[in-house]
Amino acid sequence: MQNIISITAVSSISPLGKSLDEAWESYQNNKHCISEKSFQETDALVAEIPSEAKQEIEILRQSDQKYKSLDDTVLYAIYASRQAIKQSGWNTSDNFGINIGSSRGATTLFESYHKSFLKNNKAKTLSSPTTTLGNIASWVAHDLQTQGPEISHSITCSTALHSMLNGIAWINSGMCNKFLVGGSEAPLTPFTIAQMQALKIYSKQDGDYPCKALDLTKKQNTMVLGEGASMVCLEEGEKENALALVKGYGYATEILEHNISISSDAQCFQRSIKMALGDIPLKNIDVIVMHAPGTIKGDLSEFRAIEAIFKDDLPAVTSNKWKIGHTFGASGTLSLELAILMLNHQKFIGVPYLKNQKQPEKIKNVLVNAVGFGGNAVSILLSKK
């Protein structure tokens, strides 16, 4: 770390709700946000944003003629970004930077446009501009009227935390002192669901908890897709209104054996965690918010990586995917949101079906993990101000 980085705002729209207060209230109960939804000729388990949040998105869509043709990924990002900027007190004259990514991008529009093309052998006029990945950050920059740098990318499920790495790098370089970072995902579409089912990682689980993230004894994969967006405001220096401080960051990539491979002890996570921790004593880490997507190999390999580093003195570990599903490119900053909420409320949010789960005595330092297909790992260390 070259400079102290403050997080002065975090906002989201997700299955937890449409505000930070709603998210925290939802975390107080042990109910999940997963339900069954029909997709053409099949049903699948998903975690949707609640009806009140959908109404807010529809109001946003109708508020501007240009917004009516945008995908939900863009509208989710605009909504969450507006809330973050309001919370941080930034002005458009600040010329802050923006980096927002997505794993899948405009899934609804892309599938609709492609279906139309197959039927008519002709593409609709807006099919290209409304389905590019750069579409998200560009529209957010337009909506917020900032003149700062605007960046888009896709690095599968670690997209949002890679956005954070970029924001930190820009601030450390001196080229910008404020950056809005995050991810947005609206993957609850027939083809996206079918892709995950084809990988044999999607949940068919009945019972109280369809997604068994962090259950290391499960015998079948239980990943469930969720939707939403989450944004974080980064500022140079230690600010009075900081919700948390970024004390470390790490990243690593594994050598691919196949398209979705990760080693049995997640070497990428071992390297990213060590890099994020730096010289900080292991005993100082109170909680780890794991990526833990609910798959057998994904959960176990990440836990083994943590065991390899912390040995017998493991911190408390948790995940939010049992509750909100896996939101792909937005999942990293939704995990950051959980970490920030625990830091500020000094209350650990565990996984309800795990027995004898370790409870932290305090919550001062929280490590957040994310990894994408192919072993693109990122670890961010947050500390209480």
Side-chain angles (χ1 to χ4, degrees):
M1 291 290 294
Q2 297 179 32
N3 302 308
I4 293 176
I5 304 290
S6 292
I7 294 176
T8 55
V10 58
S11 66
S12 66
I13 183 166
S14 77
L16 300 168
K18 59 186 187 300
S19 71
L20 205 58
D21 289 340
E22 289 182 15
W24 181 244
E25 183 180 353
S26 183
Y27 276 127
Q28 301 313 298
N29 64 62
N30 290 333
K31 299 175 183 176
H32 62 75
C33 305
I34 298 168
S35 60
E36 196 169 65
K37 184 177 181 178
S38 294
F39 293 91
Q40 295 179 350
E41 298 179 0
T42 185
D43 293 335
L45 295 161
V46 297
E48 297 182 276
I49 64 172
S51 57
E52 296 84 357
K54 289 182 179 180
Q55 290 172 12
E56 291 291 323
I57 294 301
E58 192 56 34
I59 291 171
L60 174 59
R61 190 191 309 275
Q62 300 301 325
S63 68
D64 189 316
Q65 184 65 32
K66 297 187 293 294
Y67 290 0
K68 292 182 179 180
S69 61
L70 299 180
D71 190 77
D72 281 349
T73 49
V74 180
L75 297 175
Y76 292 171
I78 290 175
Y79 184 89
S81 297
R82 285 182 179 181
Q83 305 306 312
I85 297 305
K86 181 179 179 180
Q87 188 185 140
S88 66
W90 291 1
N91 300 307
T92 55
S93 58
D94 292 337
N95 288 334
F96 50 87
I98 294 175
N99 190 165
I100 301 172
S102 179
S103 175
R104 302 284 161 163
T107 51
T108 299
L109 285 185
F110 194 93
E111 290 178 32
S112 174
Y113 285 143
H114 190 249
K115 183 178 180 180
S116 174
F117 172 74
L118 292 177
K119 180 180 179 180
N120 303 310
N121 201 31
K122 185 177 181 180
K124 292 187 177 181
T125 304
L126 294 178
S127 59
S128 175
T130 56
T131 59
T132 60
L133 284 172
N135 189 46
I136 302 175
S138 296
W139 276 109
V140 170
H142 162 80
D143 186 75
L144 299 177
Q145 296 294 293
T146 178
Q147 299 298 312
E150 172 259 302
I151 307 166
S152 299
H153 68 234
S154 175
I155 311 178
T156 62
C157 305
S158 54
T159 292
L161 291 195
H162 273 285
S163 297
M164 193 160 187
L165 292 178
N166 285 345
I168 291 169
W170 275 78
I171 291 173
N172 281 338
S173 73
M175 296 173 67
C176 207
N177 60 9
K178 295 178 180 178
F179 238 89
L180 174 70
V181 301
S184 184
E185 209 72 57
L188 308 185
T189 58
F191 185 52
T192 312
I193 296 289
Q195 290 176 70
M196 297 303 105
Q197 291 173 332
L199 290 171
K200 304 294 190 291
I201 59 176
Y202 213 81
S203 179
K204 299 178 181 177
Q205 191 89 351
D206 293 323
D208 295 336
Y209 295 100
C211 177
K212 284 297 191 76
L214 266 181
D215 178 357
L216 303 181
T217 66
K218 59 180 174 286
K219 302 301 182 184
Q220 58 181 322
N221 291 317
T222 63
M223 194 186 85
V224 172
L225 287 187
E227 62 179 348
S230 181
M231 304 299 158
V232 174
C233 288
L234 303 176
E235 296 190 42
E236 182 181 17
E238 187 170 339
K239 304 299 181 183
E240 282 298 316
N241 62 332
L243 300 174
L245 303 177
V246 180
K247 284 295 184 70
Y249 52 84
Y251 48 86
T253 303
E254 289 201 5
I255 303 299
L256 288 176
E257 292 184 12
H258 57 80
N259 291 357
I260 59 172
S261 67
I262 188 168
S263 54
S264 61
D265 57 353
Q267 290 291 324
C268 58
F269 266 135
Q270 291 192 48
R271 294 197 295 272
S272 69
I273 291 171
K274 288 176 182 177
M275 182 178 176
L277 296 181
D279 297 328
I280 296 174
L282 297 179
K283 65 180 181 180
N284 288 7
I285 307 305
D286 305 303
V287 179
I288 299 177
V289 180
M290 291 176 58
H291 182 71
T295 61
I296 295 172
K297 290 183 178 179
D299 292 8
L300 188 56
S301 62
E302 183 180 0
F303 188 77
R304 284 174 175 167
I306 293 168
E307 280 187 319
I309 294 171
F310 290 89
K311 310 300 183 187
D312 296 327
D313 193 19
L314 291 175
V317 296
T318 191
S319 171
N320 57 11
K321 292 184 180 65
W322 65 271
K323 191 173 185 80
I324 64 172
H326 191 356
T327 53
F328 281 160
S331 63
T333 37
L334 282 167
S335 292
L336 276 173
E337 178 184 73
L338 173 58
I340 290 168
L341 286 168
M342 288 191 293
L343 282 168
N344 283 278
H345 290 276
Q346 285 297 293
K347 182 178 179 180
F348 178 65
I349 303 299
V351 181
Y353 45 78
L354 297 184
K355 296 179 180 179
N356 303 317
Q357 192 170 15
K358 183 175 181 178
Q359 301 287 319
E361 296 178 4
K362 64 182 188 315
I363 305 178
K364 187 175 180 181
N365 297 298
V366 181
L367 188 72
V368 180
N369 283 340
V371 68
F373 282 154
N376 266 295
V378 180
S379 299
I380 303 288
L381 178 61
L382 301 182
S383 293
K384 184 173 172 60
K385 181 174 176 295

